[in-house]
C-alpha cells in the first residue's frame, strides 16, 4: 500500500451509482498514490443511465475532483429490458445526502468507445477494469474490439454469489442478473478476473460504530458517506435482519489497495443465461466438483475490520 516504488495502478471504474458505488469511487479518489483513475464509465443498473452518469459526476465534485472524466455508456442490457433497484437506492440512486447538481461536463465520447480507445493506447496487461454494476459496457467493448482483452491487467468486479446465492432473485445477485449475457462474455473472455461476490460483501456490514466513524470525519465527504449508508441501511437491515447493511462495491477498490484483506479460490464460474428460474446465477465450482477450467479468483472472505479501517482512513484524505 502506498509503496513509493510502485507506480499508481491505472484503472477504469465502470459503475451505476448507487450509494455503494459512490463510496467505491470516493475510496479510489482518496488513494491517489495507489490508484490512477483513467476515467469513470457509467452504465444503466441501479437506476437508468441519465441518473448514473449524473450521480458519478456529483460524487467526483463532492470529492473536489471535477477534472475526472466521466462517460455515459449503455442504456440497456445486451438482450433484455433493464431491471433497476430504486427500492434499495431511492429514486435518484443516491438518496440520503443532499448534493448539488454537477457542473462538471459529461464527456461526449461513448463509454464503450472510451474503454476501447484507452485500452488500445496502453501496453498489454496494464489497465485494470473495475466493474461495479451490470457488465454491459465491458462486454460491449470486448465484443466490438476483442484485441483490447490482452490490454487488461485484471478485471476486479462486484457481482455474483455462491453461498449467499441471490439478492434480487432467490438465485441471482443484482449486477449479474441485470445483464447475464454480458456477464457470460466477460467471464469467458480470458482476462484475469477477481470477483467480490455477496459471500464477501454480506460480511462488510456498516454497523452503527462504522457509520459513526464516517460521520466523525466531520468533512463533507465523511458526512455524505454516513448519510448514504444510513439511507440503504433502512432497507437492508430489515431484509437481512443484520446489525448493518452490506457495503458491496468498495470491496473492489479495497482489493486493489490491500489484497490481503480477502481470501478466496481460483475456480470455474459460469453464468446461467437460459433458465427463467435461475437466470443470472453465478454457477461457481467452489468445491471443484467439475473438470471445468478455472477462470476466476472468487473471493469468499474479508477482514471486515481491516476493510472499514482502510476505507475510513482513505476517505479522510478527501
Ligand atoms: C450490487 O447491486 C447494486 O445494487 C449495488 O450497487 C452493488 O453493485 C449488489 O448486488
Ligand atoms: Ca453498483
Amino acid at each position: 500500500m502506498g509503496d513509493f516504488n510502485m507506480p499508481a495502478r491505472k484503472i477504469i471504474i465502470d459503475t451505476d451509482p448507487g450509494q455503494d458505488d459512490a463510496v467505491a469511487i470516493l475510496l479510489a479518489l482518496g488513494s491517489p498514490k495507489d490508484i490512477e483513475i483513467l476515467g469513470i464509465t457509467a452504465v444503466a443498473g441501479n437506476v437508468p443511465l441519465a441518473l448514473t452518469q449524473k450521480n458519478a459526476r456529483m460524487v467526483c465534485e463532492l470529492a473536489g475532483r471535477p477534472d475526472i472524466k466521466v462517460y455515459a455508456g449503455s442504456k440497456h442490457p445486451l438482450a433484455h429490458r433493464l431491471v433497476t433497484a430504486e427500492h434499495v437506492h431511492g429514486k435518484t440512486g443516491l438518496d440520503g445526502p443532499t448534493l448539488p447538481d454537477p457542473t462538471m461536463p459529461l464527456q461526449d465520447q461513448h463509454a464503450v468507445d472510451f474503454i476501447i480507445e484507452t485500452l488500445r493506447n496502453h501496453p498489454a496487461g496494464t489497465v485494470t477494469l473495475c466493474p461495479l454494476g451490470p457488465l454491459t459496457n465491458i462486454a460491449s467493448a470486448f465484443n466490438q474490439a476483442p484485441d483490447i482483452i490482452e490490454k487488461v491487467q485484471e478485471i476486479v468486479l462486484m457481482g455474483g454469489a455462491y453461498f449467499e446465492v441471490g439478492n434480487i432473485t432467490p438465485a441471482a445477485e443484482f449486477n449479474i442478473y441485470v445483464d447475464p449475457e454480458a456477464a457470460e462474455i466477460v467471464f469467458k473472455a480470458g482476462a484475469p478476473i477477481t470477483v467480490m461476490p455477496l459471500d464477501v460483501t454480506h460480511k462488510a456490514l456498516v454497523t452503527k460504530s462504522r457509520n459513526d466513524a464516517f460521520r466523525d470525519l466531520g468533512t463533507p465527504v465523511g458526512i455524505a458517506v454516513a448519510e448514504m449508508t444510513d439511507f440503504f441501511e433502512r432497507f437492508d437491515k430489515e431484509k437481512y435482519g443484520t446489525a448493518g447493511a452490506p457495503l458491496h462495491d468498495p470491496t473492489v477498490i479495497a482489493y486493489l489497495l490491500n489484497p490481503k484483506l480477502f481470501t478466496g479460490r481460483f475456480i470455474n464460474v459460469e453464468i446461467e443465461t437460459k433458465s427463467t428460474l435461475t437466470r443470472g446465477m453465478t454457477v461457481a465450482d467452489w468445491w471443484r466438483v467439475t473438470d471445468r477450467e478455472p477462470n476466476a479468483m472468487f473471493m469468499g472472505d474479508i477482514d471486515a475490520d481491516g476493510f472499514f479501517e482502510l476505507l475510513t482512513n482513505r476517505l479522510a484524505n478527501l
Side-chain angles (χ1 to χ4, degrees), residues 195-270:
V195 182
M196 295 295 164
L198 297 180
D199 309 329
V200 165
T201 67
H202 281 182
K203 293 171 188 148
L205 301 176
V206 188
T207 56
K208 175 155 189 331
S209 63
R210 289 167 178 165
N211 183 277
D212 286 347
F214 299 143
R215 199 180 308 271
D216 289 348
L217 291 174
T219 58
V221 166
I223 292 164
V225 167
E227 290 174 347
M228 285 184 216
T229 52
D230 260 346
F231 180 85
F232 66 75
E233 292 252 325
R234 286 172 217 170
F235 171 81
D236 274 352
K237 273 162 81 172
E238 193 176 327
K239 178 177 174 188
Y240 298 112
T242 46
L247 192 56
H248 306 281
D249 294 337
T251 58
V252 165
I253 306 299
Y255 170 78
L256 303 181
L257 298 171
N258 185 4
K260 293 201 178 82
L261 292 171
F262 302 90
T263 52
R265 293 184 179 190
F266 184 55
I267 56 170
N268 176 270
V269 180
E270 305 283 335

Side-chain angles (χ1 to χ4, degrees), residues 17 42 47-58 86 90-94:
V47 285
L49 182 70
L51 288 169
T52 59
Q53 57 87 351
K54 178 181 169 195
N55 291 345
R57 288 182 291 138
M58 283 163 65
E86 285 88 354
K91 72 176 181 341
T92 66
L94 216 49

